[in-house]
C-alpha cells in the first residue's frame, strides 16, 4: 500500500499528465448534468454526448420530459444501453423535481440520491461539478486506478474506495483528483491494455511491476 508521501507524488504526477482533467459530459446547467450522468451508466461519455446534443435541444426543463410519451423519450435515447429503464427514470426524476424541489436540482447529495436513477456516484458528480462541493465519485476508472496503484485494497467496496480516498487526500483536492483519476484510467491505465512500459508511476505501482515482470518472462 502507498503511504501519504507516495500518494501525494502520484496525484501530482497525474496532475502534470492531465492538467485539464474535467467532466467530459456536455451540459449547460445542473439539470442537464443530472440527465447526462443518469444516461452514462454502463455507457461511454462520448456516446452520451452524441445523444444529448439533440436531446438537450428538444428538452430544456423537467416539464419537457413529461410533455412527451415514454415511448417518444425512449426513441430519443434509443442508441444508449438500458434506454427503456433510463427513460423511465428520467421521467420519474423530472416529476419528483417538480413536486418536491420546485423544478430545481437540489445541491445536497442526500437529496439527490432520492431521485430515481441517481445513486451515490451520480450525486457526487453533480454536487462536485455543478455546485463546487468537494466530492469523490468512484466510477470504474477511479476504482481500478486506486486499487492497481495500492492507494486502496483490492477487496475494498466502491464505498470503501471513496472513504479511503477522502481520508488520504486533502478535501480541497477531492474534486480535481477525481477527474485526474478518471483521465488517468480512461486514457493511460486502461482496463485491458494499461501503458505500464511508459508510465511515470511504474516504480510505485504494484500492479504495473507485476505486469512488466510477466512481459519480460
Amino acid at each position: 500500500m502507498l503511504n501519504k508521501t507516495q500518494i501525494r507524488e502520484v496525484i501530482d504526477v497525474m496532475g502534470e499528465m492531465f492538467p485539464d482533467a474535467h467532466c467530459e459530459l456536455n451540459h449547460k446547467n445542473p439539470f442537464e448534468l443530472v440527465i447526462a450522468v443518469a444516461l452514462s451508466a454502463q455507457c461511454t461519455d462520448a456516446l452520451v454526448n452524441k445523444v444529448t446534443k439533440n436531446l438537450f435541444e428538444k428538452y430544456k426543463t423537467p416539464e419537457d420530459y413529461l410533455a412527451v410519451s415514454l415511448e417518444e423519450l425512449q426513441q430519443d435515447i434509443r442508441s444508449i444501453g438500458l434506454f427503456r429503464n433510463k427513460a423511465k427514470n428520467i421521467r420519474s426524476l423530472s416529476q419528483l423535481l417538480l413536486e418536491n424541489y420546485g423544478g430545481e436540482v437540489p445541491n445536497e447529495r442526500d437529496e439527490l440520491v432520492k431521485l430515481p436513477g441517481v445513486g451515490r456516484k451520480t450525486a457526487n458528480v453533480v454536487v462536485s461539478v455543478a455546485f463546487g462541493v468537494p466530492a469523490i465519485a468512484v466510477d470504474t476508472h477511479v476504482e481500478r486506478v486506486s486499487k492497481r496503484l495500492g492507494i486502496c485494497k483490492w477487496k475494498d467496496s466502491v464505498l470503501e474506495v471513496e472513504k479511503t480516498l477522502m481520508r488520504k487526500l486533502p478535501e480541497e483536492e477531492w474534486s480535481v483528483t477525481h477527474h485526474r483519476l478518471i483521465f488517468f484510467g480512461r486514457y493511460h491505465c486502461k482496463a485491458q491494455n494499461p501503458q505500464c512500459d511508459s508510465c511515470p508511476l511504474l516504480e510505485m505501482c504494484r500492479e504495473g511491476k507485476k505486469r512488466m515482470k510477466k512481459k519480460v518472462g
Side-chain angles (χ1 to χ4, degrees), residues 19-155:
D20 301 318
H22 60 282
C23 175
E24 292 191 294
L25 290 168
N26 296 334
H27 64 282
K28 293 190 285 294
N29 54 57
F31 180 57
E32 286 190 352
L33 181 60
V34 168
I35 300 297
V37 185
L39 289 172
S40 73
Q42 296 176 38
C43 184
T44 66
D45 287 2
L47 178 57
V48 172
N49 287 337
K50 213 171 162 183
V51 169
T52 55
K53 189 169 185 274
N54 294 324
L55 195 73
F56 291 162
E57 284 299 312
K58 181 173 175 178
Y59 304 93
K60 307 280 189 191
T61 64
E63 288 94 338
D64 292 341
Y65 286 101
L66 296 169
V68 300
S69 67
L70 177 61
E71 290 71 29
E72 186 175 337
L73 179 54
Q74 286 177 346
Q75 208 53 43
D76 289 335
I77 62 169
R78 197 181 175 82
S79 55
I80 280 182
L82 310 174
F83 70 92
R84 287 188 183 85
N85 206 33
K86 288 175 181 177
K88 275 184 200 161
N89 283 338
I90 287 171
R91 280 172 56 88
S92 298
L93 75 82
S94 295
Q95 186 79 48
L96 211 62
L97 285 176
L98 290 168
E99 285 173 6
N100 297 356
Y101 303 98
E104 298 294 320
V105 174
N107 59 6
E108 291 172 20
R109 186 178 64 197
D110 290 347
E111 294 302 314
L112 282 162
V113 294
K114 293 176 185 174
L115 300 174
V118 175
R120 189 181 176 91
K121 184 199 82 172
T122 300
N124 277 336
V125 172
V126 174
V127 295
S128 168
V129 175
F131 300 112
V133 177
I136 294 176
V138 180
D139 71 351
T140 180
H141 302 297
V142 174
E143 182 179 7
R144 181 175 67 253
V145 169
S146 302
K147 290 180 176 182
R148 279 181 175 172
L149 278 163
I151 298 172
C152 301
K153 296 173 186 155
W154 285 115
K155 64 178 177 62

